[in-house]
Amino acid sequence: MERQKAMLEEADRERFDFRDRDQSSFKTDKGLTPEIVTEISKMKNEPEWMLQHRLRSLEIYNRLPMPDWGPSLDELHMDDIVAYVRPNTDMKSDWNQVPGYIKDTFERLGIPQAEQKSLAGVGAQYDSEVVYHNIRDELSKQGVIYTDMETAVREHEDIVRKLFMKLVPPEEHKFVALHGAVWSGGSFVYVPEGVHLDFPLQSYFRLNAAGAGQFEHTLIVVEKGASVHFIEGCSAPGYNMLNLHAGCVELYVREGATLRYSTIENWSKNMMNLNTKRAVVEKNGTIEWISGTFGSHVTMLYPSSILKGEGARSTFTGISFSGKGQNLDTGTKVVHAAPNTYSTIHSRSISKDGGIAVYRSTVEILPQAVGSKSSAVCESLMMDSDSRSDTIPSLDIRTDESDVGHEAKVGRISDEAVFYLMARGLTEQEARAMIVRGFVEPISRELPLEYAVEMNRLINIELEGTIG
């Protein structure tokens, strides 16, 4: 009995599902019009080129059709979504100056403690704006820039204007066009040539307002021979109406540079999560994706790598967990566009209580990418016969001088393994939970300790009702 109580306490979702009273200082009207887009731009005091970018993106959004593949998005109506919610504070660099209710929110999520213990810098976004940003002084002295995107547009325009939504153009699909029209908040990171950050940078995104959208933009440039680990966390309380997340991430990894990009997404189950992430990697550079996808009603998320320079590398390690009423459509894409490039994909998904987990991957090896290698392994675990898991790989190989492998496993939890553990004194529920934790272990060991703990906590939450 004591053990049951301890497990349920550990799985308490209150840490993530609490909500604050709406104290925003400004909201746009629901829906999407040129007037709303212009209003957002003027509030941010943006240069004219950014306003024109927003208006052009809106035109593209109105022109493009809804996706005709993947999960149904019929429940999503932009006329019901508030595109911009401004908290009642501007950005602070002193944690003590952040309004109390926002500070309490992030303290309950453990953000300040993480900064004090193991981070080189941290940013915290609440609804549509970044409310706190800070970076260690010694990194600033080395030329590292870590700030919110609005500040970057104004103060680092020479870098931002050349790169903003060039890797993920608005024409690509309807929701990245939407992002281009109403983006707000996010992070800008610039690591100069040869600089190595020993501790990660972290941005945390919290959406509090009911019926709102969050559209943060992240732009990271890691110059020649430099390295950085960037961690991104997301969460939102649950409401009985849809929220929308349509962020955009653009990563530039220069020659010989290394970027590790770790994400734990933990959205409430009324969230439509339609995020877009892409990296371009130059000669002998490395991008490492670590991705944990939890929560949301519908997710469509496929981090992509373009291996542009000879010897460039990409690794993707991801886990998703889909429960009742959830449809998580995830995966990754790699384009080998230069000789002797290398990619590995390792994806795992769990589904239970009728949840749907779909894995899609695309590996393209272009004619010039001779000597390239790619290996993909995806494994899906279904906890019951009501759940569904699909694996949809795509391989497009344009040269015989390459080495490509793909392996997929889809199956229900093993009755023999459960029986084996029960024979050693565990209940059936404990045995199933132990098997799930073993299944996700290859992913959690790639995360920083604090995030591995959080991921295990999220697994426990998702297994509530399964754990005895």
Side-chain angles (χ1 to χ4, degrees):
M1 191 66 185
E2 282 300 315
R3 179 165 51 183
Q4 177 182 352
K5 180 182 176 185
M7 282 182 155
L8 289 177
E9 284 179 349
E10 189 180 2
D12 187 355
R13 199 180 165 86
E14 185 182 354
R15 181 183 176 213
F16 305 103
D17 273 353
F18 65 93
R19 65 184 73 164
D20 300 325
R21 180 172 60 84
D22 186 352
Q23 301 182 50
S24 57
S25 63
F26 175 78
K27 288 181 182 179
T28 57
D29 294 333
K30 291 180 179 178
L32 192 58
T33 65
E35 290 73 24
I36 288 175
V37 169
T38 302
E39 189 173 27
I40 293 172
S41 182
K42 287 186 175 177
M43 285 190 67
K44 294 174 178 294
N45 194 26
E46 289 176 344
E48 180 64 20
W49 67 267
M50 181 57 79
L51 171 60
Q52 294 307 316
H53 170 86
R54 289 181 182 275
L55 293 172
R56 188 174 73 86
S57 297
L58 178 60
E59 291 177 3
I60 296 168
Y61 170 81
N62 289 328
R63 192 169 68 236
L64 291 178
M66 292 287 280
D68 58 0
W69 55 277
S72 171
L73 302 177
D74 291 346
E75 297 173 73
L76 178 61
H77 302 287
M78 271 310 295
D79 289 345
D80 298 330
I81 298 292
V82 176
Y84 178 81
V85 180
R86 182 173 193 156
N88 64 349
T89 180
D90 53 5
M91 190 178 74
K92 308 294 185 187
S93 58
D94 182 346
W95 185 246
N96 294 320
Q97 295 179 359
V98 176
Y101 73 99
I102 296 177
K103 197 163 57 176
D104 289 346
T105 294
F106 286 107
E107 286 177 349
R108 291 176 73 171
L109 294 166
I111 307 308
Q113 296 92 324
E115 179 186 16
Q116 291 164 12
K117 288 179 182 176
S118 58
L119 296 175
V122 67
Q125 178 164 334
Y126 191 87
D127 288 332
S128 298
E129 292 289 351
V130 175
V131 296
Y132 174 72
H133 235 290
N134 201 5
I135 184 172
R136 293 187 181 183
D137 290 341
E138 61 267 32
L139 295 178
S140 297
K141 290 175 183 173
Q142 294 180 71
V144 177
I145 303 169
Y146 178 42
T147 186
D148 65 304
M149 274 307 305
E150 281 84 357
T151 301
V153 168
R154 292 191 301 269
E155 298 183 5
H156 305 286
E157 187 175 355
D158 55 329
I159 303 174
V160 173
R161 189 169 181 178
K162 287 187 292 187
L163 303 177
F164 188 88
M165 294 199 76
K166 297 296 192 294
L167 191 51
V168 185
E171 293 84 356
E172 187 150 311
H173 62 76
K174 192 171 185 70
F175 291 97
V176 80
L178 170 65
H179 174 92
V182 297
W183 76 271
S184 186
S187 298
F188 174 72
V189 178
Y190 178 83
V191 184
E193 182 175 336
V195 174
H196 299 271
L197 274 66
D198 295 329
F199 298 99
L201 302 173
Q202 175 186 272
S203 283
Y204 200 96
F205 304 100
R206 177 72 175 179
L207 179 58
N208 181 70
Q214 193 169 56
F215 307 97
E216 82 282 356
H217 193 94
T218 299
L219 175 60
I220 299 178
V221 182
V222 190
E223 291 288 9
K224 184 177 179 180
S227 67
V228 63
H229 182 188
F230 186 85
I231 303 173
E232 177 187 75
C234 320
S235 69
Y239 292 101
N240 58 0
M241 63 179 72
L242 284 179
N243 281 81
L244 171 63
H245 177 236
C248 181
V249 174
E250 298 182 290
L251 310 176
Y252 293 85
V253 183
R254 307 299 194 198
E255 181 178 339
T258 298
L259 171 58
R260 170 170 277 213
Y261 194 95
S262 301
T263 306
I264 293 289
E265 298 201 19
N266 173 30
W267 298 112
S268 54
K269 292 180 181 176
N270 60 305
M271 179 68 78
M272 304 290 269
N273 181 28
L274 310 174
N275 216 358
T276 305
K277 302 181 180 183
R278 184 163 303 153
V280 60
V281 189
E282 297 184 3
K283 183 178 180 181
N284 295 324
T286 300
I287 176 71
E288 301 175 3
W289 300 97
I290 312 294
S291 178
T293 305
F294 297 86
S296 79
H297 177 46
V298 169
T299 282
M300 297 177 76
L301 175 61
Y302 321 96
S304 305
S305 303
I306 300 170
L307 303 180
K308 180 183 173 185
E310 183 168 4
R313 302 168 70 90
S314 168
T315 64
F316 175 86
T317 307
I319 182 81
S320 65
F321 199 124
S322 180
K324 184 178 181 181
Q326 293 181 267
N327 190 337
L328 270 55
D329 201 300
T330 62
T332 188
K333 179 178 181 179
V334 184
V335 178
H336 292 252
N340 302 312
T341 47
Y342 181 81
S343 67
T344 61
I345 299 169
H346 189 187
S347 173
R348 295 191 169 194
S349 69
I350 304 165
S351 53
K352 77 176 188 78
D353 294 341
I356 301 172
V358 178
Y359 167 78
R360 301 175 197 265
S361 74
T362 297
V363 175
E364 295 180 11
I365 298 188
L366 302 185
Q368 66 270 28
V370 295
S372 294
K373 295 182 179 180
S374 178
S375 172
V377 177
C378 54
E379 300 173 73
S380 300
L381 181 66
M382 290 179 288
M383 301 290 290
D384 51 58
S385 57
D386 296 328
S387 302
R388 174 176 163 182
S389 184
D390 295 330
T391 298
I392 308 172
S394 171
L395 302 174
D396 185 357
I397 315 302
R398 302 299 178 94
T399 173
D400 292 336
E401 298 179 62
S402 59
D403 185 348
V404 180
H406 182 267
E407 178 184 349
K409 297 178 184 175
V410 179
R412 289 183 56 186
I413 197 165
S414 164
D415 290 338
E416 290 78 9
V418 173
F419 177 79
Y420 176 85
L421 290 171
M422 290 175 67
R424 277 145 184 81
L426 298 182
T427 67
E428 179 179 348
Q429 291 79 10
E430 289 170 339
R432 289 176 181 273
M434 180 175 286
I435 291 169
V436 170
R437 291 192 186 96
F439 185 72
V440 304
E441 192 273 340
I443 313 298
S444 61
R445 72 186 177 200
E446 296 294 332
L447 292 168
L449 179 61
E450 294 80 3
Y451 277 79
V453 169
E454 177 165 332
M455 195 180 82
N456 286 328
R457 184 181 291 116
L458 291 168
I459 293 288
N460 285 347
I461 290 170
E462 299 294 350
L463 288 172
E464 268 189 282
T466 303
I467 299 175

